[in-house]
Amino acid sequence: MSNSSNTLTSAGKTSSRLPQWATSFGVQIIAALVIGLALGLLAKATGSTTKAPNGLGATLQTIGSSYVSLLQTAVVPLIFTAVVSSIANLRQVSNAAKLAWNTLLWFAITSLIAVLIGIGLGLLLQPGAGTGITKKAEYAGKTGDWWAFLTGLFPKNFLGLGASTTVTDGVASTSISFNVLQILVIAIAVGVAALKVGKQAEPFLNLNASALAVIQKVLWWIIRIAPLGTIGLIGNAVAVYGWDTIGSLGKFTLAIYAGLVLVLFAVYPILVKAHGLSIKQYYSGVWPAVQLAFVSRSSIGTLPLTQRVTERNLGVPQGYASFAVPLGATTKMDGCAAIYPAIAAIFVAQFFGINLDISQYLLIVVVSVLGSAATAGTTGAVVMLTLTLSTLGLPLAGVGLLLAIDPILDMGRTAVNVAGQALVPAIVAKRQGILDESLYNAPRKGTAFADDDHAVSPETASEARELAVATT
């Protein structure tokens, strides 16, 4: 028999004509970024605007928003089943309480470092001085509130869902949202209750484990089309906002991205190296999630991939990762809740000619370290900024000054958030002696994580090799 164009490989699947580098998830995302950038510039050049997008602009917007919706749809069942399963698995771990405490401690430590960098850059670069921007009216959007955070811990229903109705031109529209922190509280309560019930809860825990496996498979399919979603997301961002919106706020934008770069490429590598781990392996392991976070601008939307790379690339045990990563996605935000509010608060103070004293700088530190939990389940960093300004007594009108460039800043902020959400579980696992270092140091295969369907036994691989020889 003549050679066929596709032959079976030792893994029991047909080989592809594409070279290995072309099938790499990272390469596909980078290619999608370039394509999205080009299409976004083309849409903007042909007259596409936010209120009146042309055909190309509308297509990019639809593709991007649809992909984020797919990711977010899977988040609720993922968090619930993963946390319940992780708590059930923690019964086999003797130091579960210590793991939880160390996770929170390292969340605080890295946030403290990030906010100190933010304050330093704010004082050094003076981003609010001489902008030439006209003062705007008082900000009337959503604000952060400590009391709302405390009351928000109590779920209003079992699914942690909320509904809001808006009326536009006599037409009412209702949107459904979910509070991630409430879902986390519900899942923890159910998981602990299942442990207390004991043997009678085994059928429930088995069902939950099966549901988690199914959900993870669906998420794998969604993440497979991430390059397509990337084209829509980055293309829409360029078409709608462009890069000219940076303009008069260039110094502020520079300060934010300088802080993000310092945390991502200086602080994190130092922490990795200090714990005896490879910096190269950390970046190659976490990079797929960082790329997706940058274009999607959603820590929650990136959560499925963040958890997978934390487990399968960084070697963090699944039982611990499924607890720490969802917790980090709601409370661990070095970009949105540490660097950004610190520099933004200093910007607002400088813009309005208000001198901050040492006590107010200390308040910035306290709010940034503790405040991210108060904004869990909300969108973007604007709520965190209003919480900081309110605590300091600074004008909320300053928020309106920064909204024009918020989408551009949010890309970098979210990427740093996700990198930290994977870093802390790896550090804690290493310190507690439960990190799978052989998996951490393993060569990357060019994919975010291996598809379960491709995991075959040595016997199957041997049979596949024999079949490949027989068909040539």
Side-chain angles (χ1 to χ4, degrees):
M1 184 180 295
S2 61
N3 291 341
S4 60
S5 59
N6 290 326
T7 59
L8 289 176
T9 68
S10 60
K13 58 180 180 180
T14 59
S15 62
S16 172
R17 292 183 177 182
L18 292 175
Q20 184 176 2
W21 63 265
T23 61
S24 166
F25 184 84
V27 171
Q28 291 172 357
I29 290 291
I30 293 174
L33 282 169
V34 175
I35 295 172
L37 176 62
L39 292 178
L41 290 173
L42 178 61
K44 191 171 181 64
T46 53
S48 182
T49 63
T50 306
K51 295 183 179 180
N54 57 21
L56 178 57
T59 301
L60 292 172
Q61 183 180 26
T62 301
I63 292 174
S65 60
S66 298
Y67 184 72
V68 172
S69 296
L70 283 174
L71 283 173
Q72 292 178 334
T73 299
V75 165
V76 175
L78 172 70
I79 291 179
F80 181 84
T81 55
V83 172
V84 170
S85 180
S86 66
I87 291 176
N89 292 336
L90 287 178
R91 60 187 168 178
Q92 303 172 1
V93 180
S94 58
N95 59 342
K98 191 174 182 180
L99 282 173
W101 162 249
N102 276 273
T103 302
L104 295 174
L105 177 61
W106 277 98
F107 281 175
I109 290 173
T110 50
S111 294
L112 176 61
I113 296 172
V115 70
L116 290 177
I117 289 175
I119 292 175
L121 287 172
L123 295 175
L124 176 65
L125 299 179
Q126 301 284 305
T131 61
I133 305 175
T134 304
K135 294 180 174 63
K136 296 188 178 183
E138 189 73 10
Y139 173 70
K142 194 171 184 180
T143 61
D145 189 314
W146 289 103
W147 181 250
F149 160 64
L150 294 175
T151 57
L153 286 173
F154 299 94
K156 296 179 176 61
N157 53 71
F158 180 74
L159 298 177
L161 295 176
S164 60
T165 302
T166 58
V167 179
T168 305
D169 298 329
V171 179
S173 59
T174 301
S175 60
I176 304 297
S177 61
F178 58 87
N179 188 307
V180 177
L181 196 59
Q182 290 184 4
I183 297 171
L184 198 61
V185 170
I186 294 169
I188 291 173
V190 171
V192 173
L195 289 183
K196 294 295 183 181
V197 169
K199 188 175 181 179
Q200 289 179 308
E202 287 298 326
F204 167 75
L205 293 176
N206 291 335
L207 175 63
N208 181 81
S210 298
L212 176 59
V214 172
I215 293 166
Q216 288 176 330
K217 175 57 66 177
V218 173
L219 290 171
W220 170 232
W221 293 338
I222 295 173
I223 292 170
R224 286 265 190 154
I225 61 173
L228 179 62
T230 298
I231 293 174
L233 289 165
I234 198 69
N236 180 64
V238 174
V240 171
Y241 304 105
W243 305 114
D244 53 340
T245 54
I246 297 177
S248 57
L249 292 173
K251 191 183 292 186
F252 175 74
T253 305
L254 173 64
I256 294 294
Y257 268 94
L260 296 174
V261 168
L262 282 174
V263 170
L264 183 57
F265 296 109
V267 175
Y268 288 172
I270 290 173
L271 292 175
V272 170
K273 193 66 176 179
H275 287 85
L277 298 173
S278 167
I279 296 174
K280 178 184 176 182
Q281 289 297 105
Y282 165 71
Y283 281 120
S284 64
V286 79
W287 203 246
V290 172
Q291 289 175 317
L292 183 58
F294 182 82
V295 295
S296 69
R297 295 168 44 207
S298 172
S299 294
I300 297 298
T302 313
L303 172 60
L305 184 55
T306 308
Q307 183 171 328
R308 280 304 184 90
V309 299
T310 302
E311 295 172 6
R312 301 196 178 188
N313 285 357
L314 301 185
V316 178
Q318 182 180 5
Y320 170 51
S322 59
F323 170 78
V325 177
L327 180 64
T330 59
T331 61
K332 169 63 178 167
M333 304 178 188
D334 289 344
C336 290
I339 297 172
Y340 177 73
I343 297 178
I346 294 174
F347 168 89
V348 172
Q350 292 171 351
F351 181 83
F352 287 97
I354 300 172
N355 293 321
L356 299 178
D357 56 33
I358 186 64
S359 64
Q360 289 173 305
Y361 286 116
L362 290 175
L363 276 177
I364 293 177
V365 173
V366 172
V367 174
S368 297
V369 172
L370 302 178
S372 58
T375 59
T378 58
T379 303
V382 174
V383 176
M384 181 63 197
L385 176 56
T386 63
L387 177 65
T388 306
L389 297 181
S390 299
T391 304
L392 296 174
L394 295 174
L396 290 182
V399 178
L401 299 170
L402 306 176
L403 287 179
I405 60 169
D406 192 70
I408 296 173
L409 301 178
D410 202 27
M411 294 179 179
R413 290 189 314 233
T414 308
V416 172
N417 291 346
V418 166
Q421 290 159 13
L423 172 68
V424 169
I427 288 177
V428 173
K430 169 66 175 179
R431 294 175 67 90
Q432 298 300 313
I434 60 174
L435 185 71
D436 186 344
E437 294 192 48
S438 62
L439 187 57
Y440 182 98
N441 293 315
R444 308 301 181 206
K445 300 299 184 181
T447 56
F449 47 84
D451 190 349
D452 293 334
D453 288 341
H454 295 163
V456 296
S457 65
E459 293 79 5
T460 303
S462 176
E463 292 173 1
R465 283 192 295 269
E466 293 175 3
L467 181 59
V469 172
T471 56
T472 58

